Amino acid sequence: ANAIVGALLSPYFGNLTDRLGATRSTAYALLAGAATLTLISISPTYLVLIGVTLLSGVPQGWCNPATNALIVQNVPEGKRGALTGIKQSGVQVGIFLGGLTLPALAGWLNWRAAVAVFLVLPLIGLIGLRRDHDEHRITRHETRSGPVPHFIHWVTVYGFISGLGTSAMLTFLPLFAQEDQLWRELQAGWLIAGVGLVGIAARIGWGMVSHSWFGHGRTLRILAVLSTLSAALLALAAADLAESWVLIPAAALLGAGGVAWNSVGMLAVMDYSPAELVGRGTGRVLFGFLFGLGVGAPLMGFSVDVFDSYLIGWVTIAVIFMIATTLTGKIREPAGTTS
C-alpha cells in the first residue's frame, strides 16, 4: 500500500524537484524519512502505526527524483553508472542491515527505540548535504525547456511491468518453495536472501555495463530476458517438469534481472533528459514502477487462490517480461538531446 502512495505522489515530487533544485529536494526527502521513522516509533496504537506506515510512501516517492537530479548536478555523463548502481542498491542494503540489526536492537531495547536508532541515517545524509548547492533550480514562474522526452513513457511502461513481475516473484518465491516444493522455512528464507545479495551486485554492475558497453535500452532488454528465464524456471517447477533445485538459478536470475532494472532505468532518465527535467522524468518512471510494485503481489495471490496453483501466475509473469523486451527498442537517446 505504501508503494501505491509513493506511486501516486512521485509525479508531483518530480515536478517539485525541478522547481526546488536537487539539494533542497533531497534534504526534504530525508526530513520526510526522518519524520516517518519518528512517527512509527511513537505510534500509540496498531491502527495509527498502519496509517503512519502508509506515509512512508512520501519519502519513497520523493527520493529518486531528488537523488537523480543530485547526481546529474554533480556527476558528468559517462561517469554515473557505478554511482547510480550504488544508490539504487541502497534499498537492498537497507533491508539486509535492517533485518540483521533491528531484531537484535528490539530485543536489547524495545521495538520503538530500535526504530528510533535508525534516525541517525537521514541525519547523516542531511549533514552531508550542507556544502552542496543547487545549480539547476528554476522558479515557480519559469517555463520548462520542453516536454519530457517521449522515450520516458516507454521506460515508465517497462518499469510498471518490472515492478509488477518482480513484486509477485519476490513475495511468493519463498512461499512457493515452502508450500509447493516442500522446502524448509530456513531454506526458503535463504533463497530470498540470495535474491537480495545478487541484486545488490547486479544493480552496481549493470549500471557500469550499461554506461560503458551496451547502452541503456539494450541492457534493459537483457534484464527482461533474465527475468523471463527466471519466471519460466519457476513455471517448470510448478508444472513438475523440473526438479525443485531450479529455484536456485531462478532466484539468481531474478536478482540479476528484475531486481536490477531500476539502476539502468534511472540512468536512462538522467542521461537522456535535459537536466532541468530529470525530476519530472524520474517521477513518471517511478509512478509506473511503484504502481506495478503495489499491484503485482496481490494479483499473484489472487491467481494462486483462484487456480489453486502457482503455474498460471509464473507463466503470466514470463509472458509480460517477454513483452517488456519488445519495448526496449524504443528506449534510446532522443536526437539532439543532451543531459
Side-chain angles (χ1 to χ4, degrees):
N2 65 344
I4 297 294
V5 173
L8 295 174
L9 293 175
S10 58
Y12 168 76
F13 287 132
N15 291 339
L16 190 61
T17 294
D18 290 337
R19 294 181 184 279
L20 295 176
T23 305
R24 290 178 64 189
S25 290
T26 303
Y28 291 150
L30 288 169
L31 286 171
T36 302
L37 287 172
T38 301
L39 291 173
I40 288 174
S41 68
I42 64 175
S43 294
T45 67
Y46 182 66
L47 185 61
V48 173
L49 179 63
I50 293 175
V52 172
T53 303
L54 293 179
L55 291 178
S56 65
V58 173
Q60 188 173 14
W62 203 343
C63 62
N64 269 311
T67 54
N68 281 359
L70 195 66
I71 289 177
V72 169
Q73 177 174 290
N74 291 281
V75 183
E77 183 180 353
K79 297 183 178 180
R80 300 169 183 162
L83 180 60
T84 302
I86 292 171
K87 176 178 81 76
Q88 296 301 137
S89 68
V91 174
Q92 276 67 38
V93 173
I95 291 172
F96 177 76
L97 292 178
L100 189 66
T101 60
L102 190 59
L105 288 171
W108 180 41
L109 304 169
N110 59 67
W111 73 266
R112 296 180 185 276
V115 171
V117 166
F118 287 91
L119 282 168
V120 69
L121 298 177
L123 295 178
I124 290 173
L126 287 168
I127 293 172
L129 286 172
R130 287 188 307 169
R131 295 184 179 181
D132 200 18
H133 302 283
D134 287 316
E135 297 177 359
H136 299 300
R137 180 177 175 273
I138 58 179
T139 66
R140 186 176 301 276
H141 301 291
E142 287 179 321
T143 58
R144 303 294 186 271
S145 61
V148 170
H150 185 66
F151 86 95
I152 289 289
H153 304 304
W154 295 111
V155 180
T156 301
V157 175
Y158 183 102
F160 170 76
I161 292 174
S162 186
L164 190 152
T166 303
S167 170
M169 295 174 77
L170 283 174
T171 302
F172 283 91
L173 178 58
L175 194 62
F176 173 66
Q178 184 184 354
E179 286 188 345
D180 191 270
Q181 301 296 299
L182 305 180
W183 286 36
R184 293 195 299 271
E185 291 182 6
L186 182 61
Q187 293 174 318
W190 279 110
L191 188 67
I192 204 68
V195 174
L197 291 176
V198 172
I200 292 171
R203 287 190 174 192
I204 299 172
W206 282 121
M208 297 166 60
V209 167
S210 180
H211 246 314
S212 304
W213 289 12
F214 298 143
H216 306 321
R218 290 180 180 177
T219 303
L220 288 173
R221 180 177 301 167
I222 294 171
L223 301 187
V225 169
L226 295 178
S227 300
T228 302
L229 293 174
S230 177
L233 288 176
L234 295 177
L236 289 174
D240 295 327
L241 297 175
E243 299 293 333
S244 67
W245 62 263
V246 301
L247 271 63
I248 297 174
L253 289 168
L254 176 60
V259 172
W261 93 271
N262 59 3
S263 63
V264 182
M266 295 297 103
L267 275 170
V269 174
M270 287 187 282
D271 288 349
Y272 296 167
S273 297
E276 68 274 12
L277 296 178
V278 167
R280 183 193 293 185
T282 302
R284 293 192 181 184
V285 172
L286 200 62
F287 170 80
F289 172 64
L290 291 178
F291 191 76
L293 202 67
V295 302
L299 288 176
M300 181 67 184
F302 178 76
S303 170
V304 174
D305 288 342
V306 169
F307 297 105
D308 195 27
S309 171
Y310 289 87
L311 179 60
I312 300 298
W314 297 144
V315 170
T316 302
I317 292 170
V319 170
I320 66 170
F321 273 120
M322 289 177 64
I323 294 172
T325 65
T326 67
L327 303 177
T328 55
K330 299 180 181 294
I331 301 173
R332 57 185 181 273
E333 184 173 5
T337 297
T338 60
S339 9

